[in-house]
Amino acid sequence: MKTVYVLNGPNLNALGNREPGIYGGRTLSGIESDCRTTAAELGFEVDFRQTNHEGLLVDWLHEASERDVIGVVLNAGAYTHTSIALHDAIRTIQPIPVIEVHLSNVHAREAFRQQSLISPVAAGVIFGLGPLGYVLGLRALAARP
Ligand code: DQA
């Protein structure tokens, strides 16, 4: 079966309680179950993970490449805006496509959120659509040739 990784970065474990006016009320396990439902429909096996540690995200991207996954949906949280290491990791695992996802509309927020170090190396970017963004990310991977 085709495997996809759905990787989540810092503070996303707190979804549900964390600034619900910005991120909504859905928990990360709710988002995981949305992803599992969509993955089952698409015939994907989904490996869904969260960490608060930047280096672990790098390790998981390398692991995705070693496991020959067909793509990654990545919400890197705040590391999106700071991490050259994640930028480099995404380049390192090319041609595996990485879809960058954000729950919130980062371009309608603080200036420091309006730069992504990941977008230039992502296969696509989805933001501002809440949990639906993850589902659309999986569908985007399924639609790739
Ligand atoms: C986020 C946006 C980031 O700016 C923020 O640091 C997050 C969540 C989002 O999903 O909207 O942690 O990636």
Side-chain angles (χ1 to χ4, degrees):
M1 195 181 270
K2 293 172 177 170
T3 302
V4 293
Y5 275 17
V6 180
L7 303 181
N8 294 279
N11 301 304
L12 294 168
N13 53 311
L15 287 176
N17 296 317
R18 178 191 180 197
E19 301 186 83
I22 294 174
Y23 297 114
R26 197 140 176 81
T27 62
L28 194 62
S29 55
I31 292 173
E32 177 174 357
S33 96
D34 295 344
C35 287
R36 293 199 181 282
T37 302
T38 301
E41 182 199 315
L42 298 172
F44 288 166
E45 184 189 325
V46 69
D47 201 324
F48 191 101
R49 304 181 190 183
Q50 188 275 331
T51 178
N52 292 321
H53 302 276
E54 181 179 7
L56 197 50
L57 286 171
V58 172
D59 288 345
W60 286 346
L61 288 166
H62 291 183
E63 185 193 297
S65 163
E66 283 150 21
R67 281 185 60 189
D68 219 14
V69 307
I70 65 136
V72 177
V73 173
L74 173 64
N75 184 349
Y79 293 137
T80 304
H81 316 297
T82 61
S83 180
I84 297 169
L86 281 177
H87 172 107
D88 285 348
I90 293 167
R91 288 168 68 146
T92 299
I93 68 165
Q94 274 168 5
I96 294 178
V98 175
I99 309 289
E100 175 186 349
V101 169
H102 302 286
L103 295 158
S104 65
N105 178 354
V106 284
H107 289 283
R109 300 183 62 195
E110 301 96 326
F112 63 80
R113 292 185 208 278
Q114 290 171 31
Q115 171 177 280
S116 166
L117 298 187
I118 292 171
S119 295
V121 287
V125 185
I126 300 167
F127 57 86
L129 300 176
L132 177 64
Y134 285 74
V135 166
L136 295 176
L138 291 171
R139 291 196 183 283
L141 290 175
R144 286 175 67 90

